[in-house]
Amino acid sequence: MSVPVLPGLSALVADHPYIICDIWGVLHDGEVAFPLAVDALCRARAAGAMVVLVTNSPRPAQRVAAQLSAFGIDQTAYDGLITSGELTRHHLQAHFTGQRFFHIGPDEDRDTLAGLDLVEGADSDDADVLVATGLFGPDLDAHAALIAPAARKGVPMLCANPDRVVRDGGKIFICAGAVADVYEDMAGRCGGWASLRRRLMRPAIKFSAQKPDNQ
């Protein structure tokens, strides 16, 4: 049985009018965009498809959209954008309003937490929830020492980026998912990559179920 060779993504639109597409490694590599992939999405939309982009980025959707724009990927290529960071914000606001959080990650990720009705704790064991968006340095052992007191108290962790590593251009960087693995081994309570991936796909599927003329 031969495998058909398709002329492009747009050839699938008649039978598959909703496309959920990853971003990192598919549309860009952290340094440059992949023009052929972007063009394929544009052609699919022109053929009638609805395109929803999803990403494990721990940052809000607005910031990721700005990053895409800087790569030359504008909204002619997609209809919707869902990020792990945006879902993390919604989860924190829905379940931890007024409570204390402890952030694990670089300062550049703090916009994920900006404007939420939460209080930042000074130490990990002084928090009601840990929020891991990334690493503040390359040493995982240092992170383990920082979060060990919270693990002993059974404080839950929400991992805003379930990726363990990411390739940025030609370099490999450790991501928050690696910290979540360490914490899960310690405490057994972490909203790790599997649960967050499910939370990422559900709104993407829900968005895709909308009719384009109802947006």
Side-chain angles (χ1 to χ4, degrees), residues 46-127:
M50 175 182 283
V51 175
V52 181
L53 303 183
V54 296
T55 175
N56 283 338
S57 170
R59 300 181 178 101
Q62 186 175 11
R63 182 171 170 187
V64 173
Q67 182 186 48
L68 290 173
S69 181
F71 283 126
I73 305 171
D74 60 27
Q75 290 194 340
T76 59
Y78 61 94
D79 296 279
L81 171 61
I82 298 171
T83 75
S84 293
E86 199 70 41
L87 296 185
T88 297
R89 287 179 58 83
H90 292 318
H91 186 82
L92 288 169
Q93 195 65 55
H95 299 284
F96 292 96
T97 295
Q99 299 186 56
R100 301 178 73 84
F101 74 91
F102 183 78
H103 176 226
I104 302 146
D107 286 341
E108 66 186 38
D109 290 347
R110 284 191 170 274
D111 54 357
T112 300
L113 302 163
L116 296 177
D117 186 16
L118 284 84
V119 179
E120 185 165 11
D123 300 294
S124 67
D125 61 346
D126 186 40

